[in-house]
Amino acid sequence: MNEEYIKKILKEVKEGTISEDEGFRLLKELPYKDMGFANIDNHRQIRTGFPEVVYCEGKTPEQIRDIFYELARHGSVMGTRADERDYEAVSRVLPDAVYHREARIIEYGARTVRNSLVAVVSAGTADIPVAQEAAVTAEILGSRVDRIFDVGVAGLHRLLDKIDRITPADVVIVAAGMEGALASVVGGLVSAPVIAVPTSVGYGSNFQGLSALLSMLNSCANGVAVVNIDNGFGAGYMASVITKKSL
Amino acid sequence: MNEEYIKKILKEVKEGTISEDEGFRLLKELPYKDMGFANIDNHRQIRTGFPEVVYCEGKTPEQIRDIFYELARHGSVMGTRADERDYEAVSRVLPDAVYHREARIIEYGARTVRNSLVAVVSAGTADIPVAQEAAVTAEILGSRVDRIFDVGVAGLHRLLDKIDRITPADVVIVAAGMEGALASVVGGLVSAPVIAVPTSVGYGSNFQGLSALLSMLNSCANGVAVVNIDNGFGAGYMASVITKKSL
Amino acid sequence: MNEEYIKKILKEVKEGTISEDEGFRLLKELPYKDMGFANIDNHRQIRTGFPEVVYCEGKTPEQIRDIFYELARHGSVMGTRADERDYEAVSRVLPDAVYHREARIIEYGARTVRNSLVAVVSAGTADIPVAQEAAVTAEILGSRVDRIFDVGVAGLHRLLDKIDRITPADVVIVAAGMEGALASVVGGLVSAPVIAVPTSVGYGSNFQGLSALLSMLNSCANGVAVVNIDNGFGAGYMASVITKKSL
Amino acid sequence: MNEEYIKKILKEVKEGTISEDEGFRLLKELPYKDMGFANIDNHRQIRTGFPEVVYCEGKTPEQIRDIFYELARHGSVMGTRADERDYEAVSRVLPDAVYHREARIIEYGARTVRNSLVAVVSAGTADIPVAQEAAVTAEILGSRVDRIFDVGVAGLHRLLDKIDRITPADVVIVAAGMEGALASVVGGLVSAPVIAVPTSVGYGSNFQGLSALLSMLNSCANGVAVVNIDNGFGAGYMASVITKKSL
Amino acid sequence: MNEEYIKKILKEVKEGTISEDEGFRLLKELPYKDMGFANIDNHRQIRTGFPEVVYCEGKTPEQIRDIFYELARHGSVMGTRADERDYEAVSRVLPDAVYHREARIIEYGARTVRNSLVAVVSAGTADIPVAQEAAVTAEILGSRVDRIFDVGVAGLHRLLDKIDRITPADVVIVAAGMEGALASVVGGLVSAPVIAVPTSVGYGSNFQGLSALLSMLNSCANGVAVVNIDNGFGAGYMASVITKKSL
Amino acid sequence: MNEEYIKKILKEVKEGTISEDEGFRLLKELPYKDMGFANIDNHRQIRTGFPEVVYCEGKTPEQIRDIFYELARHGSVMGTRADERDYEAVSRVLPDAVYHREARIIEYGARTVRNSLVAVVSAGTADIPVAQEAAVTAEILGSRVDRIFDVGVAGLHRLLDKIDRITPADVVIVAAGMEGALASVVGGLVSAPVIAVPTSVGYGSNFQGLSALLSMLNSCANGVAVVNIDNGFGAGYMASVITKKSL
Amino acid sequence: MNEEYIKKILKEVKEGTISEDEGFRLLKELPYKDMGFANIDNHRQIRTGFPEVVYCEGKTPEQIRDIFYELARHGSVMGTRADERDYEAVSRVLPDAVYHREARIIEYGARTVRNSLVAVVSAGTADIPVAQEAAVTAEILGSRVDRIFDVGVAGLHRLLDKIDRITPADVVIVAAGMEGALASVVGGLVSAPVIAVPTSVGYGSNFQGLSALLSMLNSCANGVAVVNIDNGFGAGYMASVITKKSL
Amino acid sequence: MNEEYIKKILKEVKEGTISEDEGFRLLKELPYKDMGFANIDNHRQIRTGFPEVVYCEGKTPEQIRDIFYELARHGSVMGTRADERDYEAVSRVLPDAVYHREARIIEYGARTVRNSLVAVVSAGTADIPVAQEAAVTAEILGSRVDRIFDVGVAGLHRLLDKIDRITPADVVIVAAGMEGALASVVGGLVSAPVIAVPTSVGYGSNFQGLSALLSMLNSCANGVAVVNIDNGFGAGYMASVITKKSL
């Protein structure tokens, strides 16, 4: 999958520019070199031009600090599900790092600004943290983001009043808990692809987000695809991957 | 719970009009007499003025025929989940019986017409049988019914165009499968009580109606209560019980 | 859905009372004006005459205080799932606010008293908080409430002894956990509509209220509809919507 | 676990009545001798005095015929979940075999009549096959059975009217589908042990008997234990084991 | 269901010993008088001769103390799921109350000793609290109990070695978590009824006791019935109800 | 949301070109006119330029024929989940209609060809019908499609050998049943957005596609979003919506 | 992962024995050459020396016939989940093919006989098809198999009587439905690795094998691992892979 | 199952070397003597040559200390799910005990070193504790272990780069959470048996490990068997049992 590189090595071996052993080493390490870092998402990131992503939950502030420091040498980095103490640890070694509190994201390095627009729509105030995780992720990955929060379907007039801000978007992200109906309603109103992110907001028979998840998977509107419960990052990332294609 | 009757018996015993033994028998059988029939729903039906209801699924046409014939001697009767063959058997002994094919309901006897209005709203064409079961049930139990079918949320404009027919209703029934979002959207638009009936319409992760059921139970709109999956009869009955109160 | 208003604007535009631009702005903002507030339930509330409702869980005492203060300028307000600290914050700016401890409801403003009667029936002592949430909600929304607590089906005589207090109600709310059988038994004894609210009371295979929820959805009694697990507010609200119709 | 027998063998070996090898063989085969038959329930059956039980579902009529013929040489036999064709095959080799159609049980051989009374109570007409399986099983295993069918909780008066026939029973079996509330209500009215058998009767969110199963496991009445969904045989067997103890 | 009492009242009314009004009051209050106490289990307890049972979880030590004090005036009392602090509160007003720590049961009053034997068998050391709840319950309700703990099927020899202590029991209780196989194995070895109580012991795909629950409901051994997960009290109570019958 | 049109009507009313009543009717019917057809997806389709879509499952061949005939007057039509008999009925009135057998899709009318490339990757031969539904849908909606079938992760070399055909795609659709691992592996190899469609292929604990669904929702690769089980059409449609953006 | 081969190519390129282009092609196709066939299991099969495996369910007899014919040119083939008609189709082109009816396996070609012994133990007669699938698979893949059927734990003596045939096995396969307790009991008695295969045998709360699956995953015995429900082939294959290691 | 021993006792009884009573006692206690200890895994451990295993979760440090001290007199001991405080208690009486922190295992006594190689492969950093539990278990039970961590399928190149370390293993253990795809991918690359251990790593619809569990049970690769969620010990033990066979 890197034909020119392989051919170049073969050529150099033939011409004696590099030894057979060196040629072998280069060919054998090729997949590893392509990756560069230990992080499993690395190879893809490099190709996509996106910054490195660190999932902070379950790691100590010290571990997160060290990973950020290492990755920051190669470019931009972002950390998701990070709390205040994680950020403090990182900011001690990377004073320019920024903490997006509601989104729980640590950001470091320059953003690639692109021309795409992502609308992030959320149903209730309790869905805002997930919506913000999606919004900040999309911004860091280069999109402009318009946030349209608190427009759940129980008060349809509000959503309809904001529809003019949603329709121009290249991708629409809908974050909703409870019955998750907002994804279907928005899906029926726009022509852009809709990324639905169910949230665990609710109680009782919402079963930690299962009701919204099933609702969104069974959406009667076309052009809707779903990511994991509370996975705001995943929605923002998917939106960025889609809009990157559209440049 | 029938104080006058008990007091009357006591009085007659005291006055010797009836014997002690007769008094005891009357008092002991009282709950049974209140019921009158063997059918478990009977006692309630009599008090409510609603006709007898026979659940036909799992009974033979002959059994259904005999039950109808017996009950018809006391007043109106309706049978739910009845197929063509059930109707044929019934119509042989009760030629005036009517079969509502889509609703799968057999009806016999005069209707009590009342002044209430029930709006039956459904999402897709596949939800129509359940919606019709609800609509015909409400009609037989005395309500006027307005059917607003095929107004799922993926094409919101159609629902909004029909909203003037839904808002005047005393009770609104919403039948929807897939993600069942229609219940929340309608619930947010009307001030009448909404009875949501999830249908098993859909496939894959709808899990035979579970997605719509959970969606409706978690509705972000207030004034929404839910009956069992595909239970059109239950929704129509509940609507009638509610509107009966409002006369 | 507001024909007179639209016609009036058209007339004014024609007569030159307002400019074309002003007419456009008024027509475009119409749905928004209808809502008035940011809260999604607002539009419906205004039409129904019910006070504003604030779901307090997941909001800080400060946020709740501010929302109450804002909404109180327009009329009555109630807050559900509120704890002691939420109430303290609210009462500092609205000293007349009342806290219903067992129901976890903060109430502010005058009640509209109506003539309807709601019976709130509960199975065990552990179901009382949910039952109280339903009862206080119904009271705030204007109904008289009769509380019949601790009459679970394992001691049927107690329920039968209280039946004379349940039958006169316009709507019956049944709150029960464990196997939730009370809904079916009450449903078979009364002719009023029954709103069943499953509670998460129990352990083991009750799976946080699932057993009572499924039990109530599958009730063999007619005239029973169900709200979400532990959703006392939803039951009280539904009861009020139903009884409002009956005025 | 058969000390006398082991000691007797040891004694015979010591006295030379039997050889060492013979003694070894007897000791080694002991568990097998205790069983006698190939059927896994056999050993227990022999000790309990109950007839052999054959689960017919999934076996061909020919297999069932052969198993019956073999077992019939040792005493009574019963076959559960048997259809008409199974019975025809058996009756060809055992003309005295009896078929209980509703219970789907084939019976062969003399019954041990005992003095215990089992009440079999069922909720709806659709629960009758499971109830009959329980009733016939209990009869074959030696109990007198009183059948009280169609007394579901939605029409409580009927159940209360029959309570005098239920209270004298040594064990009460309750078969109910849908919400299975009958088990709790009966459990609260009687002092005998209650065996609850959930049935798969119902539709939608009853999930093939899950609603009744969970309901019965979470019964608020004490003295209730549960067998598998539709397991009428298991309930009848358990009742017989309990009443056998009470002789 | 209390014919003599009803006849006596009628006679007294006829003879003028009591007035018509008094007769009416007595007849009307009859079900209530039968109960005597507010506690829903009360009526049954009185008939069964068992002491009152208080479920302590979710009640404050003060509430538990007051309930115990009230009930203690009428006879014996037991409290389940009680912690140390509950006991301290009770012992302050009832110094003779006893606390069974492992079983988490508070006991007060004299036991009725009966001649029955209950074997309580448990699989692992972690199942012991549930097993002890069952054992102490059975003892308080009058049975002798033999505890055979830590005999899970992974080391079958230990169970077989103890089988001589299990077979003489009138009822066998089996408490097991994880895969719950012990119920089937014991069920196949004894002729007494087996009450299986699944425990939530385990992790991962045991899903808080679901694996043991399903296992026990599907037991291939006959004569096994099941109570709720971790419901040691329920198992002990059921065993006592069964053995009471056998006296 | 159609400012020019509203302003034009207002202008005409002011200028007297149309009457006030006519202006009111036009404004009121506006949402309906925007839709044009009764079909709920219609409004969106028109805006997107996609043909009409008919879901054939649950409709009779005659209904499908009539719907096709009606819609065909306005442009292209496609029908999903159609069987041979549906196609025969349609082809009688629309002889140019084409039937894609494996995909179960009926197609009628001209395609809009666009420049985007969709790669449809499937795991096993049994996943091919779902993959074909996705592929044909994408083709009808204007994309070029490259089909890479039977490259499940158990034989990773085959997938790697085909990776050069997958990486150039604008969108990648992955259809897989069983454990659905292919979505994660492909997601890690490409930079395009991945639409994962779980199939119900498998048995036992795959629970009709649940295993693949959960697997794909929890994908460790970024840039993956999921549609309903077996929803090949949904995947193809989503891919087309995404690629349409990229033109 | 084939260093010598890569070095050899590099050497030949350097020496001019092969051209640069030829060298590139060889290096690029390397993974493909390693696989040889299109079938995804192929690569592994070749390395393991096992025959090709065809999953017949969902394929037509003609497809199965053609696949067998193609694969038979390279060595032995086996087909699982094959019915009579599949076999007839295959036997027409491969007359030496053998059909194992109970196991539903078609076998063609010579077996590699190895010295390992696999014991296949099953609980009830209904589990035998799954057990036979496991047994025949293990035989075809080269093991000797001892079948110990119908030794469920409800009649423990039978299992203990056969234990001498189970303990010498290199691997033990346990197939059981219902509560699946046999896996734990056998796991506790032998020192060989146990492969547990849950079967869907049972009804009601066994939920198509879920009870046995959870039971086996939670086995209290060590040295037990589990394959999918009814996956006899998977168990037989795993046993063969394990015993292959032990040669 | 210990024929020589039984024969020897019989011989001694015959010859009078031991009395009949003594012979009886020896025969009766035989299964118990075989076990030696109270711990249920004991009998098996002795036969397998593996050390005793103590499951520490839910036991107090004091209990663990005492059990270790007791068992240490007979040989090696290991404790799983042990925390720091458990280790401190043990080390006070057994100063040579070692604590494996990440694996949460306490080890005491000499290891039996065997020649087998186990590869422990894990997907993400969060899976490492489970992977370490498996790895340390396998080491204590005598295998050499190669740890290949953080090679999840989203970055396939890393796994392929390490494949040369995985293929030589006698058994491969794969620990993965989220979608658990690594088990299938590794299963397709190696010829050794694969033990898959799903971890509870993830969030939302991973449902505490259910997604990985179902994924692994439905693996499309052959030669994969599964243990319980997070059961690293079970995987390490199974691997050791398998490799023990291969010596």
Side-chain angles (χ1 to χ4, degrees), chain B residues 1 44 47-48 169-170 187-194 217-218 222-226 228 233 237-238 241-242 245-246, chain C residues 44 47-48 164 169-170 187 189-195 217-218 222-226 228 233 237-238 241-242 245-246:
Chain B
M1 61 203 85
R44 180 172 193 170
R47 275 181 293 149
T48 57
D170 295 298
L189 291 171
V190 304
S191 62
V194 173
L217 284 167
N218 288 281
N222 295 323
V224 177
V226 185
N228 197 1
F233 165 73
Y237 194 98
M238 184 72 182
V241 170
I242 290 173
K245 275 284 156 192
S246 63
Chain C
R44 178 172 194 168
R47 275 181 292 147
T48 58
D164 288 349
D170 294 299
L189 291 170
V190 304
S191 63
V194 173
I195 308 301
L217 283 168
N218 287 281
N222 294 323
V224 178
V226 185
N228 197 1
F233 164 74
Y237 194 100
M238 184 72 181
V241 170
I242 291 173
K245 274 285 155 190
S246 63

Side-chain angles (χ1 to χ4, degrees), chain C residues 152-157 159-160 178-179 181 184-185 187-189 202-207 210-211 214-221, chain D residues 152-157 160 178-179 181 184-185 187-189 202-207 210-211 214-221:
Chain C
V153 299
L156 204 54
H157 297 77
L159 173 63
L160 296 181
M178 300 176 86
E179 91 283 59
S184 292
V185 172
L189 291 170
Y203 60 89
S205 64
N206 98 318
F207 296 121
L210 183 65
S211 58
L214 293 185
S215 191
M216 288 167 167
L217 283 168
N218 287 281
S219 174
C220 57
Chain D
V153 299
L156 204 55
H157 297 79
L160 297 181
M178 301 177 86
E179 91 284 58
S184 292
V185 172
L189 291 170
Y203 59 90
S205 64
N206 98 317
F207 297 121
L210 182 66
S211 58
L214 293 185
S215 191
M216 288 166 166
L217 284 168
N218 288 281
S219 175
C220 58

Side-chain angles (χ1 to χ4, degrees), chain G residues 199-215:
Chain G
T199 76
S200 57
V201 168
Y203 60 90
S205 64
N206 98 317
F207 297 121
Q208 284 79 53
L210 183 65
S211 58
L213 173 64
L214 293 185
S215 190

Side-chain angles (χ1 to χ4, degrees), chain A residues 152-157 159-160 177-182 184-185 187-189 202-207 210-211 213-222, chain B residues 152-157 159-160 177-182 184-185 187-189 202-207 210-211 213-222:
Chain A
V153 298
L156 205 55
H157 297 77
L159 173 63
L160 297 180
M178 302 177 86
E179 91 284 59
L182 187 60
S184 292
V185 173
L189 291 171
Y203 59 89
S205 64
N206 98 318
F207 297 121
L210 183 65
S211 58
L213 172 64
L214 293 185
S215 192
M216 288 166 167
L217 284 168
N218 288 281
S219 175
C220 58
N222 294 324
Chain B
V153 299
L156 205 54
H157 297 78
L159 173 64
L160 297 180
M178 302 176 84
E179 91 284 59
L182 188 60
S184 291
V185 173
L189 291 171
Y203 59 89
S205 65
N206 98 317
F207 297 122
L210 182 65
S211 58
L213 172 64
L214 294 184
S215 191
M216 288 166 166
L217 284 167
N218 288 281
S219 175
C220 58
N222 295 323

Side-chain angles (χ1 to χ4, degrees), chain E residues 221-233:
Chain E
N222 294 324
V224 177
V226 185
V227 296
N228 197 0
I229 297 163
D230 288 336
N231 191 4
F233 165 73

